[in-house]
Each structure stands twice: as structure tokens, then as C-alpha cells.
Amino acid sequence: RSYGRHNALNGVDITLRRGEILGFLGLNGVGKSTTMQILSGALRADRGRVAIGGHDMVRQPRLARAHLGYLPQQLPLYDDLTVNESLQLHSSLHQLTGAARRPAIERARARLSLNDHATRLVRHLSGGYRQRLALAQAIIHDPVVLILDEPTTGLDPAQRRDVHALLRKFSDQRAIMVSTHILAEVQALA
């Protein structure tokens, strides 16, 4: 991926398998977020190929994204929605309808300990609960691949441990890629 004459990424080759947590470590500004955006389909690569669950991100974007949960560095939250409304919105974006929607919302809320906050407006959530909600949105459709761009930014040490434990639990049935600039985080997860 290039931006004008600046070559931001070149020669990146990543293979991630179910049951793995890949720590993507690097300093700020070296291309971690750009890589994550390309892998998620949020940004198009100038050249190369991305496949998620065996589906090409350019030729079969819907199928590729159906297997993918993505948490960008900038949280995709709407302050005027409640936690439940946010999860309903994201369940519909992932085409969960009818009988599948309610259990998916309940499961995501429970996994991220959001049940006590279901009717709260997003604007009234602490930073840690905002991060939990964004992660719940990313997993609502039970994807097999999770791409998480600095998922513990702004969390206190106890909240970080909770997210780490949750990701380790998720990794049994999923492939997870976590970017960070914190070596200890990679050591704790990968």
C-alpha cells in the first residue's frame, strides 16, 4: 500500500489459523493499522491478496466479511444509542435476523459483561465499557477470525486482564490478530 510516493506496506505475508493469537507488534506509525484495515477490507491494497476463510476480500467481500470480526482503533460507536440498540444495529449489519438476532445480542452482551448496561446510552459508558461494547459489536455474528487494532487502548490494568482472558477463551475456536505497540501485551496474549 502506497500513499503517493510513500510506500506504507510492502512484502507483508500473514497466515493465521484457528486456535492462534497473533500479536502484531510495532511502533506507532509503522503500518499496523494500515495492515489491519487492509485485512478487514476497510482499506484496499494497491496490490496483493487478502483471503478470509478462503474467500477473497476483493472478489467475495460479503463472504470474507461474514467470517470476520473487526475492531478498528477508532471505536465505531454512536453516543445517542443504547448498548442494546448498538448491538441490534451491528447484528443487522451482519444480517442476523429473526430468531438468530436475540440470542446473538444476549451472547455478545454476556461475553463482554454488558448486561447491567444494556439500556444505558453509549455516551454514559466509561472508556472501558465503550471498549467492551465495540468488541461485542465485532463478535456479535460469531466470526471465526478476529482482527483487533489495539483492543486494550484506554483500559485500566484490571480491564486489560479481563480482555486478555476473554481473547484467550475466544482463541479456542477462532483465529485472532491483535495489534499493539506494547511488548508486554504481546507476551500476555500471543
Side-chain angles (χ1 to χ4, degrees):
R1 174 70 189 195
S2 297
Y3 296 98
R5 291 184 173 177
H6 176 70
N7 191 12
L9 294 174
N10 189 24
V12 176
D13 187 0
I14 298 170
T15 301
L16 185 60
R17 291 179 180 81
R18 195 177 297 224
E20 294 180 341
I21 299 178
L22 172 68
F24 196 46
L25 181 66
L27 299 173
N28 288 331
V30 298
K32 294 184 311 293
S33 293
T34 299
T35 301
M36 303 295 246
Q37 290 173 358
I38 289 170
L39 293 175
S40 71
L43 181 65
R44 193 172 211 157
D46 296 333
R47 59 190 174 280
R49 180 175 180 263
V50 174
I52 305 289
H55 303 285
D56 186 275
M57 187 60 80
V58 172
R59 289 188 300 237
Q60 301 169 303
R62 285 184 187 249
L63 291 172
R65 286 189 184 110
H67 292 83
L68 176 68
Y70 174 53
L71 177 64
Q73 192 173 15
Q74 298 298 320
L75 301 180
L77 300 174
Y78 295 98
D79 284 344
D80 293 330
L81 297 179
T82 66
V83 167
N84 272 345
E85 290 168 341
S86 294
L87 294 173
Q88 288 169 1
L89 171 64
H90 280 267
S91 67
S92 66
L93 291 173
H94 290 288
Q95 291 150 21
L96 294 172
T97 57
R101 178 179 275 180
R102 177 174 279 181
I105 291 170
E106 290 172 358
R107 186 172 50 248
R109 250 192 358 240
R111 284 176 170 167
L112 277 301
S113 302
L114 290 167
N115 283 329
D116 292 342
H117 302 282
T119 58
R120 288 187 77 185
L121 286 174
V122 170
R123 80 176 69 214
H124 295 141
L125 296 176
S126 69
Y129 278 99
R130 291 172 68 88
Q131 195 78 13
R132 287 173 186 250
L133 175 57
L135 188 52
Q137 292 173 172
I139 66 162
I140 193 138
H141 60 300
D142 208 21
V144 294
V145 177
L146 288 175
I147 296 177
L148 311 173
D149 195 358
E150 301 196 27
T152 60
T153 297
L155 300 184
D156 65 39
Q159 292 168 328
R160 273 184 194 205
R161 281 191 303 274
D162 289 348
V163 170
H164 291 175
L166 181 68
L167 293 178
R168 281 190 292 276
K169 186 173 147 184
F170 281 170
S171 72
D172 289 346
Q173 298 299 316
R174 290 168 185 78
I176 302 175
M177 183 174 175
V178 178
S179 75
T180 183
H181 60 274
I182 303 168
L183 179 58
E185 184 142 59
V186 170
Q187 291 171 323
L189 283 171

